[in-house]
Amino acid sequence: MKLFLYAAVCKDCSEHDLACRLLALCAEQELGIKPLPEIAREAGGKPFFPERPDICFNLSHSRGAAVCALHDRPVGVDVEKIRPAPKRLAAGLADEAFFRLWTAKEATVKRRGLGIGALMRPVAPDPLCRCVADLLEGYLITVCPSEEAEIKAVRIE
């Protein structure tokens, strides 16, 4: 199965709601699933469909943008608006380089279901992480699949 990545920007709406709407739209358009199955959370906070263990997904949102990744294997995704990097974390990296590394680390942690607190320890980004820099202008999106996968990226207006 392809890995589906849906993304949108909405300055005047709830980013969390937008991410959930993207998930519902992606599940319907790509897999013909409607309505969206019930969502539960693992101990580390990773969302899943208890009734559909064959479908894995992950959500992220940041400063007006939201993304949804959907696959048949565990997947993590992160989106960040490109902005000045936090000096205490950037360790001299340029802004975009910092956010490329940060989104890869966060997508890795999310795919593994470890919870965002795991970022307080050193984390190496998974080599399978792929940055999708041109999907949403001004944002970096990194998706981390469990195995090599063709990505279908869709920007929703």
Side-chain angles (χ1 to χ4, degrees):
M1 178 169 113
K2 285 183 184 174
L3 189 158
F4 302 105
L5 183 64
Y6 275 44
V9 175
C10 180
K11 300 294 184 195
D12 298 324
C13 65
S14 161
E15 297 165 354
H16 175 76
D17 290 345
L18 178 58
C20 292
R21 289 196 319 264
L22 288 172
L23 176 60
L25 181 64
C26 182
E28 180 179 359
Q29 290 190 345
E30 305 298 343
L31 304 177
I33 297 172
K34 186 176 180 178
L36 196 63
E38 175 189 343
I39 297 173
R41 295 197 176 270
E42 295 175 355
K46 184 177 175 94
F48 69 101
F49 298 130
E51 300 166 15
R52 293 298 305 263
D54 57 316
I55 302 171
C56 300
F57 70 94
N58 201 238
L59 307 172
S60 182
H61 50 79
S62 172
R63 300 175 185 245
V67 295
C68 157
L70 187 74
H71 198 227
D72 62 352
R73 308 263 315 171
V75 61
V77 69
D78 189 42
V79 60
E80 291 290 340
K81 184 167 183 58
I82 300 172
R83 59 191 187 276
K87 301 231 183 299
R88 63 181 180 79
L89 297 175
L93 289 173
D95 298 335
E96 186 171 334
F98 169 77
F99 284 108
R100 280 181 181 268
L101 179 60
W102 182 265
T103 59
K105 288 181 175 188
E106 190 163 332
T108 297
V109 165
K110 290 173 74 178
R111 187 200 73 213
R112 295 176 182 162
L114 300 176
I116 299 304
L119 290 171
M120 302 310 260
R121 300 180 299 278
V123 174
D126 191 292
L128 290 171
C129 287
R130 295 183 36 206
C131 183
V132 184
D134 56 352
L135 187 56
L136 296 177
E137 186 177 341
Y139 294 86
L140 284 175
I141 300 167
T142 299
V143 63
C144 188
S146 298
E147 60 187 31
E148 283 294 333
E150 179 183 346
I151 298 173
K152 178 181 177 182
V154 178
R155 182 179 66 233
I156 303 299
E157 299 297 330

